[in-house]
Amino acid sequence: MSELNTLTLAQARDALRKGETTSVALTEACLAAIEGAGALNAFVHKTPEIALERARAADARLQSGDAPKMCGLPIGIKDLFCTRGVPSQAASRILEGFKPEYESTVSQQLADAGAVMLGKLNMDEFAMGSSNETSCYGNAVNPWRRGNEDTPLTPGGSSGGSAAAVAADLCLAATGTDTGGSIRQPAAFTGITGIKPTYGRCSRWGIVAFASSLDQAGPMTKDVRDAAIMLEAMCGHDPKDSTSADLAVPDFEAMLTGDIRGKKIGIPREYRMDGMPAEIEKLWTDGAAMLKEAGAQIVDISLPHTKYALPTYYVIAPAEASSNLARYDGVRYGHRAKLAKGDGITEMYEKTRAEGFGHEVQRRVMVGTYVLSAGFYDAYYNRARKVRTLIKKDFEDVFAAGIDAILTPATPSAAFGLGEMTDADPVQMYLNDVFTVTVNLAGLPGVAVPAGLDQQGLPLGLQLIGRPWEEGDLLNTAYALEQAAGFLAKPGKWW
Amino acid sequence: MSIDQNTAAKVAKLARIKVEEEALPALASEFNTILGFIEQLAEVDVEGVEPMVSVTPMRLKRRTDVVTDGNMQAKVLANAPDAREGFFAVPKVVE
């Protein structure tokens, strides 16, 4: 058998059930890979004791024939998820030292399914960023490099540590969260698969909130089958999240037939951006040809409000963030600033938040405060909520016309160099999410699938967008695309 | 709409984030870049459009209004930067 940490969830699951390996062996292989991958800065809190304890318990359950679906499979958890007794700080200084007394619903469900937590993964602070450069832990680094260059590249963000860890085989899979593209963009930048399910599929309880009407958790995995396996374990109704959907969770893996004959795939003309690199354009055309070859019908469609998605997002997300992040006040948890003589409670709030929040987080909280403030609420926030209604209606119209899924590029470029965007204005960085953010605004499921390499040898991804609650059908289309694209490349190990 | 330093200072105050005087011009300029980008929304015809309240068209679950949890003072206080005698402690608020 190949190195245990390089297995997919499905391969490892099958090997465990055949008695060809043990969860302890899988876990030790991953822990060794993590120890050797400090240069990637992907795992920021390691939990080897918890991992080995859970692995031993999983082996006992496998022995006794009482093994749940993900029994014994080692995974990483994004730092945004609260994990009992383990630092959970959303990559922010303001949550330094915070060890939750409770477990997020999603990470609990994964544990209940038998998964083994290896540790917590790097990310952009409070999930605000597209390059993992706003983290208090420092940058996570992409295991991929351009040709023979040694320029460190971004793994994308905000789930950059999760993407780097999965791509570098430090864990079999990882959790991510996606508010504007934070699962799909890093998945595309690192040649892995990532799905953001329909809003309401996964409970948000215990996940540090960024923008509550957009945030969703999802799996980041080595292939589509693994995404189906892990998504099933993460989904389900939770009375502790009032927006969690009380719907049955299907067996997503059983729906992967690869048969997409007769499916209608929409190609939205508004996603053909000015200045889009020829390689991205070609990838997209090739992807459509592959789906057609597999028996799908390709249809040109229009989503007329696409160009307003990013500005809408940059009103709604900061507005919700300014409200959600009001809780970091230095009173109940995390950092509190040292106060000068005579400082009162207002100075405590102001100094604590200035010291605890990084630059990008401060900027978004303040933009959110501004768009919600008296006199601007209607002009900005209410108008953005109306445009959001129109963006969602664009999708409803094409689905009503019989479209089953929509194919788009996942990102406007391949991974860029860490620091390359430092001098760009914030809006330039925001453009990374141009193809993904519409999906969050409309609450739809979206999946990024690796589909090719660019001329410099970096992975590029395609995105499929599905109908609400039809993740199973969406994953099946992604499976057909994966099989046709045949993407098997791995980054050469330099770390 | 252009944001000047005074507005930037006011927003920082509302957000309870201390911003030093010398950082205000750069902050105001960043706000203007972002708001300039957002300004595009003014082009959209939103006449008669309802502002979105919930992205999933479903009625939120209700439950009986009863106590379901509690009695965990130590856990609630476990992460406090300053907890005394079973309470969160803060600087003096009332003279």
Side-chain angles (χ1 to χ4, degrees), chain A residues 305-352:
Chain A
H305 295 89
T306 298
K307 72 174 277 210
Y308 301 109
L310 269 178
T312 299
Y313 178 84
Y314 278 97
V315 174
I316 290 173
E320 294 186 16
S322 80
S323 170
N324 274 325
L325 272 59
R327 74 190 68 183
Y328 303 103
D329 54 7
V331 175
R332 287 157 295 167
Y333 29 67
H335 178 73
R336 178 186 291 190
K338 270 209 160 54
L339 301 182
K341 212 170 158 51
D343 278 353
I345 195 145
T346 305
E347 287 80 10
M348 183 192 77
Y349 296 149
E350 291 181 347
K351 287 184 177 176
T352 295

Side-chain angles (χ1 to χ4, degrees), chain A residues 383-405:
Chain A
R383 176 166 279 270
R385 290 198 302 139
K386 289 178 185 176
V387 179
R388 187 175 178 188
T389 300
L390 294 171
I391 290 167
K392 181 167 181 246
K393 187 174 175 299
D394 285 353
F395 284 101
E396 286 167 350
D397 289 348
V398 297
F399 290 137
I403 295 296
D404 293 293

Side-chain angles (χ1 to χ4, degrees), chain A residues 217-296:
Chain A
M220 300 178 74
T221 56
K222 294 177 190 178
D223 64 17
V224 173
R225 179 173 299 281
D226 283 8
I229 294 169
M230 188 161 162
L231 181 63
E232 188 184 325
M234 294 170 72
C235 288
H237 178 244
D238 177 11
K240 288 188 282 196
D241 173 2
S242 65
T243 63
S244 142
D246 194 358
L247 291 175
V249 179
D251 181 341
F252 294 125
E253 189 184 7
M255 295 172 84
L256 303 180
T257 61
D259 183 1
I260 57 162
R261 281 173 297 174
K263 294 281 177 195
K264 279 188 172 179
I265 308 294
I267 308 291
R269 67 181 68 112
E270 291 80 6
Y271 281 60
R272 193 153 277 122
M273 300 284 171
D274 287 341
M276 188 155 89
E279 288 175 313
I280 303 276
E281 177 91 40
K282 180 171 184 307
L283 182 83
W284 192 13
T285 315
D286 289 352
M290 288 175 208
L291 293 174
K292 190 173 177 192
E293 182 69 20

Side-chain angles (χ1 to χ4, degrees), chain A residues 23-277:
Chain A
S23 178
V24 168
L26 282 165
T27 302
E28 282 173 343
C30 290
L31 291 172
I34 293 167
E35 276 314 306
L40 300 178
N41 199 24
F43 275 90
V44 291
H45 298 288
K46 300 168 196 165
T47 57
E49 291 87 6
I50 293 175
L52 287 168
E53 189 190 312
R54 289 196 192 166
R56 282 189 287 267
D59 282 332
R61 292 186 80 172
L62 283 155
Q63 283 281 333
S64 71
D66 156 44
K69 286 191 168 179
M70 287 187 67
C71 195
L73 304 176
I75 59 168
I77 302 285
K78 188 178 182 180
D79 199 38
L80 203 64
F81 292 78
C82 287
T83 44
R84 190 181 301 111
V86 175
S88 307
Q89 57 180 104
S92 181
R93 279 197 64 201
I94 209 155
L95 277 171
E96 210 165 330
F98 176 59
K99 287 186 183 173
E101 293 285 334
Y102 51 86
E103 185 82 17
S104 81
T105 298
V106 163
S107 55
Q108 184 63 55
Q109 285 185 193
L110 285 165
D112 292 346
V116 169
M117 177 175 77
L118 296 162
K120 304 298 286 287
L121 291 159
N122 206 347
M123 54 178 283
D124 280 296
E125 184 180 7
F126 284 107
M128 297 181 193
S130 304
S131 63
N132 211 117
E133 290 173 289
T134 69
S135 167
C136 75
Y137 308 117
N139 303 336
V141 181
N142 196 327
W144 292 84
R145 285 176 161 180
R146 294 178 186 132
N148 296 320
E149 285 180 31
D150 57 7
T151 315
L153 303 181
T154 176
S158 69
S159 310
S162 302
V166 174
D169 292 320
L170 309 186
C171 50
L172 306 195
T175 62
T177 62
D178 190 315
T179 303
S182 284
I183 286 175
R184 293 160 287 156
Q185 183 254 21
F189 276 9
T190 55
I192 65 167
T193 300
I195 179 168
K196 180 203 92 73
T198 313
Y199 182 81
R201 260 296 184 203
C202 288
S203 168
R204 291 177 295 108
W205 195 82
I207 302 173
V208 173
F210 162 14
S212 304
S213 78
L214 302 161
D215 298 343
Q216 265 295 291
M220 300 178 74
T221 56
K222 294 177 190 178
D223 64 17
V224 173
R225 179 173 299 281
D226 283 8
I229 294 169
M230 188 161 162
L231 181 63
E232 188 184 325
M234 294 170 72
C235 288
H237 178 244
D238 177 11
K240 288 188 282 196
D241 173 2
S242 65
T243 63
S244 142
D246 194 358
L247 291 175
V249 179
D251 181 341
F252 294 125
E253 189 184 7
M255 295 172 84
L256 303 180
T257 61
D259 183 1
I260 57 162
R261 281 173 297 174
K263 294 281 177 195
K264 279 188 172 179
I265 308 294
I267 308 291
R269 67 181 68 112
E270 291 80 6
Y271 281 60
R272 193 153 277 122
M273 300 284 171
D274 287 341
M276 188 155 89

Side-chain angles (χ1 to χ4, degrees), chain A residues 97-99 101 199 237 242 246 307-308 310-312 314-315 330-334 336 339 345-346 348-351 353-354 359 362-363 365-367 369-370 376 380 383-390 392 425 427 430 441-443 469, chain B residues 1 3 7-8 11-19 27 30-31 33-35 37-46 49-58 60-61 74-82 88-93:
Chain A
F98 176 59
K99 287 186 183 173
E101 293 285 334
Y199 182 81
H237 178 244
S242 65
D246 194 358
K307 72 174 277 210
Y308 301 109
L310 269 178
T312 299
Y314 278 97
V315 174
V331 175
R332 287 157 295 167
Y333 29 67
R336 178 186 291 190
L339 301 182
I345 195 145
T346 305
M348 183 192 77
Y349 296 149
E350 291 181 347
K351 287 184 177 176
R353 290 160 66 80
H359 190 66
Q362 290 191 22
R363 182 158 60 204
V365 166
M366 288 192 272
V367 167
T369 303
Y370 181 75
F376 301 103
Y380 290 114
R383 176 166 279 270
R385 290 198 302 139
K386 289 178 185 176
V387 179
R388 187 175 178 188
T389 300
L390 294 171
K392 181 167 181 246
D425 72 54
V427 171
Y430 298 167
L441 289 168
W469 314 116
Chain B
M1 184 66 214
I3 293 202
T7 314
V11 171
K13 186 79 193 169
L14 281 172
R16 295 290 183 271
I17 296 175
K18 185 176 172 61
V19 177
L27 185 66
E30 283 175 6
F31 283 166
T33 307
I34 296 168
L35 292 171
F37 180 62
I38 292 169
E39 213 63 57
Q40 293 176 60
L41 295 180
E43 301 166 13
V44 186
D45 180 4
V46 293
V49 178
E50 281 297 311
M52 187 182 286
V53 177
S54 165
V55 74
T56 35
M58 48 170 41
L60 295 184
K61 282 256 183 196
K75 282 187 176 186
V76 168
L77 294 172
N79 280 291
D82 190 3
F88 293 110
V90 295
K92 194 153 84 175
V93 181

